[in-house]
Amino acid sequence: MQLLGELISSIRIKIKIKGIVQGVGFRPFVYQLANKHALGGFVSNSGDGVNIEVEGKDKNLESFFCDLESLNPPLSRIDSITKEYITTQNSQNFKIIESKNSVISTMMSSDISICYECLAEMKDKKNPRYRYPFINCTNCGPRYSIINNLPYDREKTSMSVFSMCNRCKKEYEDPSNRRYHAQPISCYECGPKLRYIALSGKEQRDEKKAFKKICNLIKAGQRVAIKGVGGFHIVCDATNEEAVNSLRESKHRPTKPFAVMFKDIKSIKKVCKLNKKDEMLVLSKERPIVIVSKKENNFLAKSIAPNIDKIGVFLPYTPLHELLLNELSFPIIATSANLSDEPIIVDEKEIFSKMPLVVQHILTHDRDIVNGCDDSVVLNTKYEKITLRLARGYAPKSFHIKNKISKKILALGANQKVTLTLAFDNSIVVSPYIGDLNSIDSLDYFLRTLETLKRVYSFEPEVIICDKHPNYETSSFAKKYVKKHTNVELIELQHHYAHALSCMAEHSLEEKVLAFCFDGTGYGDDGELWGGEVFIADTHNYTRVYHFKEIALLGADIAIKEPRRVALSLLFESFTLEEILQMKSELIKSFKVQEIKTLHKMFERGINSPKSSSLGRLFDGVYALSGYTKPLGYEGESGLILESISKKSSSTQRYKYSLKNGVIDYSKMIYQIMQENDSSKIAKKFILTISKIIIDIAQKYPHLPIVLSGGVFQNSVLVSQVTKELKKINRKYYIQSDIPINDGGISLGQAYFAIKNTQR
Ligand code: ZN
Ligand code: FE
């Protein structure tokens, strides 16, 4: 009787799982679960996920499913599970079956920092991978950066040229091993090798000696290049002022902050003020660069982040970094090896050909980087995390959406901090940060990233969406593309509307919102430069309800680099030339009298002085009005410095402004600023004023949820203030958090528009 009972209660279920389920230890996990619950059947990878068939008793199956959804491996993500009852086959054992090729729609995983188990092995003298610089397992190691194609198998990565030794092979094939099907598995015997190269061409191929040599060079205050996961870093001693300064000089990078890598969280806390949220971000498996507050007196070189109170910090994320930071007794600068605005360098030959004056020593290895990928950058505000750069660890970032997308959509982003977004079937994929498309090399990198994504996802666009700006590289690429592929539809979308949509996409918003899109500049519907925009928007359309009063940018692009020109323009709006020439401010002193007269003529006649409603430019103007008259060392410097100095003021006052006919008029503020001479107070009052403007406008539309997006919101003092006040008046708001709040988020906004506005 009992036997019959068992036969009757046996059930077989076919399961299909989609999501990030390949290359993350998912099959061995299923294998172990099936064994734990005494089930027969099999698991296999397929192009679109994982297929499972399980057979056994009802109650065992029930607990199997419970574990399946709650205990899945750390790097995996289940987007959907479908189940179907099928005929039993009396399977007693459970097997892992090899990959089947079919249509690819599984999601590509990003590169993940070294896990604690590998770290422990690396420190264990008895372990065969003791101090091994390429140790990894199914829970950690490179992914995106080494992948040529999916399904994620060793032959399709840059590890294909290394054939496994017997020990690695055994681990690779053992479902109970942590390295079961860990594609980049290797050891001293069979894996990539470290080597040192000098500019002279001299090499050191003995790994230990090569490593020692690089460490000694760093200790001696030299700059070196070291191969990481997605590209090379330029490294030097972060406590050596001379080393950091000479790095600045050789890289022609006067003030832009450098990121610093520390041995551990304890060392970071010695020089930075971390709150719990900062600490969690620093320690997270994605290991981003986290922007945190510096302690006032610290032993880091002052020139790492001059004039600002913040610094970008991160922890070692590869085994090689671990070895390095353990060998050195100080933190290191680890900045992407590239020429300004160009993509991160992935090939050692380019280091010497492109920057022979910056670096003369390289520590490299022979595991090729297929896809370059920069470090990610994030920061915390009072309530929210903000992403500044979406790259290693986070990207490619995929979302699963419920409704199937009717066409294959490719969104190209804007011109700065470009990312690509692909939308197809039930997936949206945002590429890693590509950068500013101002050089041939960056354009080339853009095309290569596009090719990789197209190849991996077997993707050919049916719709291309780009920025409305006629002169962006991405726009001209789009136009050329549709000329060649006449069946592809082209959509051009206003820049700031795309900012709003990006935030809406991140939070799956479909309803009408009140969107504050504040950034540098973008091309407006009227052909002018927008950037301080308030929209009422939904997924189909928008109305510009308010915008900041326009500023004449004297000399166009020169004004973007020289905030004092913006400040002068602000003065021209409010004062006569005679009044201005009488002023005794630092700003006026920084110009020759004749220069002011010439610029005034340009202003009066509108010569080469495009108008812009950009809030980013207003930040520049206020920055210069408060005494900073030098050209900017990097984009966003004015905002960062205003933010830093604002913290020194305890003022709670705000400047005057008015709202009239859709214009946010701050003329009175300019008069008020001219009466003051405390730059910290000016900065604080200015930021509080911007926050008040947002709240006042929000109160006029009490029923609309608020959306905040655009590069201006990288300012954590502003964001903390605005969100605090919005909470106080009980307003629902959405801010970009996991997707870059700057132009790195534009492609997602564009894709969201195309998804909602194209039909088959
Ligand atoms: Zn590991
Ligand atoms: Fe923008």
Side-chain angles (χ1 to χ4, degrees):
M1 271 318 274
Q2 207 200 343
L3 193 70
L4 186 65
E6 263 179 20
L7 278 177
I8 288 169
S9 66
S10 208
I11 295 172
R12 191 176 182 94
I13 303 178
K14 189 173 164 180
I15 307 156
K16 170 110 234 166
I17 302 182
K18 291 185 182 180
I20 299 178
V21 288
Q22 286 189 18
V24 290
F26 205 85
R27 285 179 305 162
F29 157 71
V30 174
Y31 174 87
Q32 278 152 27
L33 274 194
N35 283 333
K36 177 178 161 192
H37 298 293
L39 302 171
F42 68 87
V43 56
S44 71
N45 272 346
S46 70
D48 59 350
V50 163
N51 295 328
I52 307 170
E53 287 187 18
V54 275
E55 181 169 343
K57 283 187 195 160
D58 200 3
K59 67 173 200 314
N60 293 14
L61 283 164
E62 205 174 290
S63 41
F64 170 83
F65 278 114
C66 187
D67 284 357
L68 185 69
E69 288 178 62
S70 59
L71 303 175
N72 59 313
L75 301 186
S76 67
R77 188 189 76 204
I78 298 177
D79 288 339
S80 69
I81 301 186
T82 51
K83 298 170 198 169
E84 185 191 336
Y85 289 90
I86 55 171
T87 329
T88 54
Q89 293 175 18
N90 198 20
S91 312
Q92 302 297 327
N93 300 322
F94 196 87
K95 282 186 295 221
I96 298 182
I97 295 179
E98 282 314 305
S99 296
K100 269 188 201 147
N101 281 320
S102 62
V103 185
I104 313 294
S105 70
T106 182
M107 293 297 118
M108 191 162 27
S109 156
S110 46
D111 301 304
I112 297 297
S113 61
I114 180 167
C115 74
Y116 290 102
E117 280 166 299
C118 283
L119 203 55
E121 287 184 353
M122 219 181 132
K123 288 179 177 164
D124 175 7
K125 278 189 181 157
K126 284 181 227 116
N127 193 286
R129 293 191 184 85
Y130 173 60
R131 288 179 68 84
Y132 181 54
F134 305 98
I135 191 168
N136 64 74
C137 72
T138 344
N139 301 323
C140 72
R143 297 283 190 283
Y144 172 73
S145 62
I146 58 165
I147 289 179
N148 274 305
N149 215 336
L150 287 180
Y152 177 57
D153 273 329
R154 190 172 175 106
E155 308 90 75
K156 293 187 170 130
T157 71
S158 57
M159 282 303 290
S160 63
V161 295
F162 301 96
S163 52
M164 282 178 234
C165 68
N166 285 338
R167 188 184 41 233
C168 284
K169 198 161 190 242
K170 227 170 117 191
E171 290 176 302
Y172 182 87
E173 285 169 354
D174 174 5
S176 67
N177 194 288
R178 204 173 85 251
R179 295 197 170 85
Y180 175 77
H181 281 223
Q183 305 304 344
I185 186 177
S186 65
C187 70
Y188 283 108
E189 210 176 304
C190 61
K193 301 249 178 309
L194 282 182
R195 69 178 193 282
Y196 161 85
I197 317 174
L199 181 62
S200 63
K202 233 173 77 186
E203 289 200 9
Q204 174 54 264
R205 285 183 171 263
D206 179 297
E207 290 191 90
K208 276 190 187 148
K209 284 183 186 159
F211 179 75
K212 198 96 213 151
K213 169 104 190 162
I214 280 290
C215 290
N216 288 338
L217 284 164
I218 301 170
K219 285 177 192 167
Q222 296 280 316
R223 304 180 291 274
V224 303
I226 297 177
K227 194 170 184 175
V229 169
F232 280 85
H233 279 137
I234 297 174
V235 168
C236 74
D237 180 352
T239 63
N240 184 332
E241 194 70 65
E242 215 182 305
V244 180
N245 268 320
S246 72
L247 172 59
R248 286 210 175 280
E249 269 166 41
S250 67
K251 253 198 123 192
H252 306 294
R253 180 165 154 160
T255 48
K256 192 175 179 185
F258 288 123
V260 182
M261 187 182 275
F262 291 79
K263 185 179 167 209
D264 49 29
I265 194 92
K266 226 171 72 199
S267 333
I268 298 181
K269 284 181 177 169
K270 281 185 192 150
V271 293
C272 302
K273 297 173 232 169
L274 298 194
N275 59 35
K276 258 265 112 20
K277 282 197 313 189
D278 291 334
E279 200 174 324
M280 274 164 63
L281 266 181
V282 171
L283 288 167
S284 64
K285 66 182 189 318
E286 290 86 2
R287 290 285 155 93
I289 295 172
V290 186
I291 313 278
V292 298
S293 298
K294 280 191 278 195
K295 284 187 180 166
E296 256 182 44
N297 293 312
N298 65 64
F299 52 78
L300 294 179
K302 295 275 169 293
S303 50
I304 289 176
N307 308 321
I308 56 175
D309 64 340
K310 293 172 153 187
I311 187 168
V313 301
F314 58 154
L315 291 177
Y317 55 86
T318 69
L320 182 56
H321 292 146
E322 283 287 346
L323 292 172
L324 202 66
L325 271 296
N326 269 298
E327 184 70 29
L328 304 169
S329 52
F330 47 79
I332 53 173
I333 302 272
T335 185
S336 303
N338 59 359
L339 296 175
S340 57
D341 284 357
E342 286 199 0
I344 187 165
I345 295 177
V346 299
D347 181 348
E348 59 260 9
K349 287 182 213 102
E350 273 189 39
I351 299 263
F352 288 152
S353 65
K354 284 196 164 174
M355 40 176 63
L357 296 177
V358 182
V359 181
Q360 283 100 43
H361 313 277
I362 300 178
L363 184 65
T364 188
H365 58 74
D366 41 8
R367 185 181 70 206
D368 282 347
I369 297 170
V370 180
N371 305 303
C373 191
D374 250 292
D375 292 314
S376 291
V377 185
V378 297
L379 65 83
N380 275 313
T381 64
K382 192 175 172 72
Y383 300 109
E384 334 279 339
K385 175 189 96 181
I386 303 251
T387 300
L388 308 186
R389 194 200 282 157
L390 185 82
R392 177 188 49 77
Y394 297 113
K397 189 170 182 67
S398 59
F399 305 86
H400 179 80
I401 53 171
K402 251 208 226 128
N403 296 331
K404 199 168 163 153
I405 298 163
S406 63
K407 286 190 176 176
K408 291 189 172 183
I409 294 160
L410 170 63
L412 300 175
N415 199 54
Q416 283 184 301
K417 303 180 175 68
V418 169
T419 58
L420 294 166
T421 296
L422 271 56
F424 54 95
D425 301 336
N426 294 88
S427 300
I428 300 180
V429 180
V430 184
S431 82
Y433 167 88
I434 295 169
D436 300 353
L437 301 189
N438 298 331
S439 68
I440 293 173
D441 278 23
S442 51
L443 196 62
D444 184 55
Y445 182 41
F446 166 83
L447 296 174
R448 269 185 288 132
T449 308
L450 177 58
E451 281 314 309
T452 298
L453 295 173
K454 277 171 69 179
R455 184 175 63 244
V456 164
Y457 293 115
S458 310
F459 176 95
E460 284 300 332
E462 295 168 289
V463 178
I464 288 195
I465 179 160
C466 67
D467 199 279
K468 250 191 180 167
H469 198 298
N471 301 330
Y472 282 173
E473 289 293 348
T474 44
S475 317
S476 57
F477 171 85
K479 282 169 201 158
K480 273 185 224 152
Y481 195 95
V482 294
K483 235 184 203 162
K484 226 166 113 191
H485 306 80
T486 45
N487 55 335
V488 177
E489 187 186 335
L490 174 68
I491 305 175
E492 293 165 86
L493 195 70
Q494 202 281 321
H495 184 95
H496 302 95
Y497 180 37
H499 269 302
L501 286 161
S502 181
C503 185
M504 292 164 75
E506 184 176 337
H507 299 285
S508 310
L509 300 181
E510 311 227 15
E511 68 258 46
K512 239 185 198 24
V513 300
L514 182 66
F516 294 85
C517 306
F518 294 167
D519 73 348
T521 47
Y523 192 79
D525 281 338
D526 53 5
E528 301 217 346
L529 297 168
W530 290 9
E533 314 304 314
V534 187
F535 295 152
I536 289 178
D538 59 25
T539 55
H540 303 293
N541 227 321
Y542 72 97
T543 335
R544 190 188 193 198
V545 287
Y546 285 101
H547 62 86
F548 274 82
K549 189 178 158 204
E550 282 107 351
I551 307 169
L553 302 177
L554 307 172
D557 284 349
I558 309 176
I560 293 178
K561 292 187 184 107
E562 279 191 32
R564 61 180 192 148
R565 285 186 177 225
V566 179
L568 198 59
S569 176
L570 290 170
L571 294 183
F572 288 157
E573 284 281 351
S574 304
F575 300 91
T576 64
L577 181 59
E578 288 65 41
E579 284 171 332
I580 291 169
L581 290 171
Q582 307 269 307
M583 289 177 181
K584 301 243 166 332
S585 68
E586 286 301 314
L587 172 70
I588 301 305
K589 274 192 259 167
S590 79
F591 289 102
K592 292 190 187 106
V593 172
Q594 194 49 49
E595 275 179 314
I596 297 182
K597 287 183 177 164
T598 311
L599 289 168
H600 190 254
K601 263 194 200 122
M602 279 171 70
F603 175 81
E604 295 253 279
R605 298 181 192 164
I607 303 163
N608 194 23
S609 301
K611 298 220 162 187
S612 173
S613 57
S614 159
L615 184 54
R617 296 293 82 78
L618 185 59
F619 263 87
D620 287 350
V622 171
Y623 168 77
L625 285 177
S626 54
Y628 295 89
T629 54
K630 281 196 193 140
L632 293 179
Y634 55 95
E635 192 224 340
E637 186 175 23
S638 62
L640 268 171
I641 291 184
L642 286 181
E643 181 187 332
S644 278
I645 60 173
S646 75
K647 292 175 193 161
K648 292 185 194 134
S649 165
S650 56
S651 176
T652 53
Q653 294 168 15
R654 293 146 202 265
Y655 291 118
K656 287 188 182 144
Y657 80 96
S658 63
L659 296 176
K660 212 169 157 192
N661 301 330
V663 177
I664 304 163
D665 186 342
Y666 46 80
S667 312
K668 286 186 185 134
M669 175 179 85
I670 304 300
Y671 279 107
Q672 287 180 299
I673 289 177
M674 294 314 288
Q675 311 299 317
E676 289 181 301
N677 48 21
D678 176 349
S679 54
S680 297
K681 196 171 166 192
I682 293 173
K684 179 75 180 290
K685 285 173 73 174
F686 173 59
I687 292 172
L688 290 179
T689 307
I690 301 301
S691 173
K692 175 145 193 336
I693 291 170
I694 294 173
I695 301 299
D696 287 351
I697 295 177
Q699 306 269 42
K700 290 184 186 288
Y701 302 91
H703 305 300
L704 295 181
I706 309 287
V707 156
L708 306 171
S709 185
V712 165
F713 293 107
Q714 296 174 114
N715 187 310
S716 60
V717 172
L718 175 63
V719 171
S720 299
Q721 181 67 29
V722 172
T723 50
K724 190 176 89 187
E725 291 190 47
L726 285 170
K727 278 182 193 291
K728 213 157 90 194
I729 59 169
N730 244 323
R731 279 300 287 274
K732 185 99 198 118
Y733 69 85
Y734 299 91
I735 187 163
Q736 296 241 258
S737 180
D738 291 340
I739 293 296
I741 201 157
N742 50 44
D743 282 6
I746 291 286
S747 67
L748 176 66
Q750 293 169 339
Y752 196 52
F753 181 81
I755 290 169
K756 297 290 176 193
N757 294 281
T758 47
Q759 274 146 19
R760 182 148 303 276

